[in-house]
Each structure stands twice: as structure tokens, then as C-alpha cells.
Amino acid sequence: VIHRDLKPSNILVVSSDHEGLEPKIIDFGVARSTDSDMNAATLQTSVGQLVGTLQYMSPEQCDANPHDIDTRSDVYALGVILYELLCKVWPYNLSRTSIYEAARIIKEEPPLHPQHDNKKLPRDVETILLKALEKDRNRRYPSAEALGEDIRRYLEHEPIIARPPSFIYQSTM
């Protein structure tokens, strides 16, 4: 399932007998199936229709083509939520912009550098965060599980999988 509208108000943190606190995703009103039912599910969302909350939309969601949206769009939204938790701001300043300008910013401009808003952010956390927020979905974590695994590695003082973009890659952007 692709949620397509992950944001803080759609995540509940509940007490669990075995795990302590546990997140629960709610409001699957715009979710879409990822299996063989996909053709039927995508008929409900036509091309050109924005679905979700703009501040948490991935660049491909801003293009409003439901065929380009997959689990990596939800990974992007998790990256925005993580950025917001760590830096206390969104990765883009979308205030006083039209929907079209906000979509352009999300699709084309780099996010605010995390250490600009949180100077104490460790380099590995910044690398994980920026990989989740990659414009190119092929460079993003392939799933929420992969993102979670890199966070677990960091917390357990193991090497993370994510790597900062190379100088050559950055210079071509």
C-alpha cells in the first residue's frame, strides 16, 4: 500500500505492551494498492490531480501522475517528517507561495541544508535525511523498511548504508 498522505497528523504513537511506544499509520483515504489491483486503483486518481498534503509531497507527486508514484513517495514524506522533527522547520519554505510555485520548489530546488537549522545534527543523520529527501526517487531509499534499517544502524553505532552524493553528482544538479 502506498499511503500518499503521510504527515504528523496521520501518525499516532501508541503504547505497546511489548515494544514501548509504537507508531500507527492512520487515514488511508488516498492510499493506493501496489499489487495486481493497481490498474483498478489508479483509475480513481486521474493524471493532473494532486493528492496529498503539499508540504509532505514527493517531487513525483507534484507532477500529479499516479503512475509515477510508488513506495518511495512515502519514504520522501517520512524524510520530510524526520526533517521537521530534527530541524523544527520544513525542508522548503513554502509560505506565501501558490500551489504551482510550491510544487516547482519541491520538484526543482534543493531542501534547506539540515545543519543550517540544527548545527548539532550528526553527519550520518544528515546523510540519512538527505537520502530520504532525494529528488530522484531512484536515489532515495527503496522502502520505509530500508530507511528504518539505516536509522537502526546509526542508533547501534554501525556504519550506515547511505552515502552523501558525490561532488560530480552535485555539480550536475
Side-chain angles (χ1 to χ4, degrees):
V1 173
I2 305 163
H3 192 281
R4 299 195 301 174
D5 197 24
L6 287 176
K7 57 187 174 184
S9 63
N10 285 343
I11 302 173
L12 293 177
V13 179
V14 296
S15 179
S16 169
D17 294 338
H18 307 292
E19 302 288 325
L21 296 177
E22 190 174 300
K24 299 285 184 187
I25 307 298
I26 62 170
D27 191 1
F28 286 83
V30 296
R32 186 182 86 189
S33 173
T34 59
D35 60 13
S36 61
D37 247 357
M38 189 168 150
N39 289 337
T42 57
L43 293 175
Q44 298 172 4
T45 304
S46 59
V47 174
Q49 179 183 13
L50 285 177
V51 175
T53 304
L54 193 59
Q55 290 87 343
Y56 300 92
M57 280 187 184
S58 65
E60 59 273 16
Q61 274 181 283
C62 291
D63 281 336
N65 183 344
H67 303 290
D68 288 341
I69 298 169
D70 59 23
T71 55
R72 295 169 292 186
S73 291
D74 284 348
V75 169
Y76 186 91
L78 290 171
V80 174
I81 294 166
L82 184 59
Y83 191 104
E84 190 177 5
L85 285 169
L86 296 171
C87 300
K88 310 295 186 228
V89 296
W90 284 316
Y92 305 97
N93 182 358
L94 302 179
S95 62
R96 299 188 201 125
T97 60
S98 69
I99 291 173
Y100 302 107
E101 177 63 9
R104 186 200 64 75
I105 290 169
I106 291 167
K107 291 183 335 184
E108 297 174 8
E109 293 186 13
L112 298 171
H113 200 275
Q115 287 194 341
H116 177 265
D117 293 301
N118 183 347
K119 303 213 183 314
K120 295 180 182 178
L121 199 63
R123 178 80 57 204
D124 279 353
V125 173
E126 177 184 76
T127 301
I128 291 169
L129 185 55
L130 292 175
K131 182 173 179 73
L133 290 174
E134 274 284 348
K135 300 274 186 218
D136 179 353
R137 66 183 176 188
N138 293 319
R139 295 182 54 83
R140 228 177 274 151
Y141 289 100
S143 66
E145 182 180 18
L147 169 60
E149 278 298 307
D150 239 4
I151 293 170
R152 180 200 58 77
R153 283 185 199 90
Y154 170 77
L155 292 173
E156 293 179 2
H157 306 288
E158 297 174 7
I160 63 170
I161 300 297
R163 293 288 169 252
S166 68
F167 175 75
I168 293 171
Y169 177 77
Q170 288 179 344
S171 65
T172 62
M173 292 183 69

